[in-house]
Amino acid sequence: MEENKKTESGQGIHGHEKSGELSSEFPASIPNKESKMDKINSKGVHCWYGDFHVLRDINMEIKHNTVTALIGPSGCGKSTYLRIFNRMNDLIEGFRLEGEVAIDGKDIFARDVRINELRKKVGMVFQKPNPFPKSIFENVAYGLRVNGVTHKKFIEETVERSLKQAALWEEVKDKLDKNALSLSGGQQQRLCIARAIAIEPSVVLMDEPSSALDPISSAKIEELIWELKAKYTILIVTHNMQQAARVSDKTAFFYIGELVEYDDTKTIFTNPKKEKTQNYITGRFG
């Protein structure tokens, strides 16, 4: 049987169920932003939770060092799509994917990909700040330690650099031994961003990172996202149309599991090609 035909279980060659870590490391070499290769590429992606067909035929190409906003009503598949790239959906019982998903040209569902190595390259920031009940310093150092880094000076330098990149260093540099839970919500979220980038990923996923924050903290997160794209490729799920318009280079509008429109953010918000996109961004539904 040809490889691209479906198996008896109904999965294609890129059909994947929940799985553990596999054999070899995800490639460490990351083409720079001048590369002509797309940073992320998804072709013909379909996803299911059991019998529920949550994403249908998603095709997207994402360039290096850009911010891509994923917008659409609740339940339309945005977060499922976001979580494909660090394979967090694999943890959900009954999840299945068909299609091709590549980062730096490497199929992230290939049998020789080790999931833990992939997740070093693809950081994640969640909707609600989730610092560990440890010191500020140990929160940022956590990823280094679990990956076997023991060099004290290297850890100290990485913690400082990450906190500076997350625009938090000046606020916490004199209290690094304090419990991270003592920080404000906005500070906690920036700490989580520092923790995510401490292991030097090349992609950062953000699932509504400011929805639980006050307007001032949200503005700081938005400013930070814009600055971080100089070093990282960022995907952000947001329900805030104004936020998407402010922080992203590209915007993808999802609706009931389908990618309705994907274009430059300015085009999406000023001259969308699809009536459904126009209706959503003007508040007629969603």
Side-chain angles (χ1 to χ4, degrees):
M1 181 180 292
E2 294 178 4
E3 282 191 333
N4 62 355
K5 289 185 179 179
K6 289 190 176 183
T7 66
E8 291 181 2
S9 67
Q11 294 179 343
I13 187 64
H14 289 285
H16 309 280
E17 300 215 1
K18 196 172 65 165
S19 62
E21 292 177 6
L22 301 172
S23 54
S24 70
E25 292 190 357
F26 194 74
S29 59
I30 303 295
N32 64 32
K33 62 184 177 181
E34 303 303 325
S35 172
K36 294 181 180 179
M37 182 190 300
D38 294 319
K39 181 67 181 178
I40 297 172
N41 197 315
S42 60
K43 295 181 180 179
V45 170
H46 293 258
C47 294
W48 291 262
Y49 295 129
D51 294 330
F52 177 52
H53 198 169
V54 63
L55 287 176
R56 300 171 183 269
D57 195 26
I58 307 301
N59 298 277
M60 283 182 65
E61 298 173 349
I62 297 172
K63 301 297 184 183
H64 292 257
N65 300 86
T66 56
V67 179
T68 301
L70 310 180
I71 65 172
S74 296
C76 67
K78 306 183 301 296
S79 292
T80 295
Y81 185 70
L82 187 78
R83 293 193 300 260
I84 286 172
F85 302 109
N86 64 355
R87 293 186 57 176
M88 284 197 67
N89 293 320
D90 291 22
L91 302 172
I92 301 173
E93 191 69 36
F95 174 75
R96 181 164 60 92
L97 179 146
E98 289 183 6
E100 300 178 10
V101 182
I103 296 178
D104 294 318
K106 171 69 175 178
D107 178 3
I108 67 171
F109 285 93
R111 295 196 61 81
D112 65 345
V113 169
R114 289 185 59 171
I115 297 177
N116 62 335
E117 294 297 328
L118 169 66
R119 289 174 182 159
K120 290 179 187 177
K121 296 299 179 186
V122 185
M124 182 85 181
V125 178
F126 296 92
Q127 179 176 2
K128 293 182 179 179
N130 60 341
F132 303 135
K134 301 173 179 285
S135 70
I136 294 168
F137 183 94
E138 288 301 327
N139 263 269
V140 184
Y142 178 81
L144 300 173
R145 297 199 192 281
V146 298
N147 283 294
V149 178
T150 58
H151 193 284
K152 182 179 179 181
K153 185 171 178 58
F154 177 80
I155 292 174
E156 291 175 347
E157 290 175 347
T158 301
V159 168
E160 180 175 344
R161 183 183 68 249
S162 301
L163 287 168
K164 285 180 176 177
Q165 287 183 330
L168 190 57
W169 174 252
E170 291 301 322
E171 296 169 46
V172 303
K173 63 182 180 181
D174 297 323
K175 51 182 179 181
L176 295 176
D177 59 340
K178 299 292 186 183
N179 192 309
L181 299 177
S182 66
L183 297 174
S184 70
Q187 289 174 323
Q188 288 185 18
Q189 192 65 301
R190 281 181 283 149
L191 179 67
C192 291
I193 293 172
R195 186 175 67 197
I197 64 180
I199 56 174
E200 297 191 340
S202 60
V203 176
V204 179
L205 311 176
M206 298 186 175
D207 195 352
E208 298 190 64
S210 63
S211 65
L213 305 179
D214 62 86
I216 293 175
S217 296
S218 294
K220 289 183 179 180
I221 296 294
E222 289 180 14
E223 184 178 352
L224 177 57
I225 290 169
W226 194 252
E227 293 172 355
L228 288 175
K229 79 168 185 174
K231 188 170 182 181
Y232 308 98
T233 300
I234 299 172
L235 283 78
I236 175 173
V237 168
T238 180
H239 282 100
N240 186 322
M241 296 299 98
Q242 291 77 22
Q243 181 176 77
R246 286 191 295 261
V247 306
S248 66
D249 302 289
K250 293 267 194 174
T251 295
F253 170 50
F254 286 76
Y255 184 67
I256 315 179
E258 296 182 350
L259 177 58
V260 176
E261 191 165 352
Y262 174 49
D263 210 329
D264 292 338
T265 294
K266 183 177 180 180
T267 299
I268 290 289
F269 283 97
T270 62
N271 189 30
K273 297 178 177 64
K274 302 292 180 68
E275 183 180 359
K276 197 174 290 183
T277 308
Q278 177 72 25
N279 289 340
Y280 180 72
I281 65 176
T282 55
R284 293 177 190 166
F285 72 89

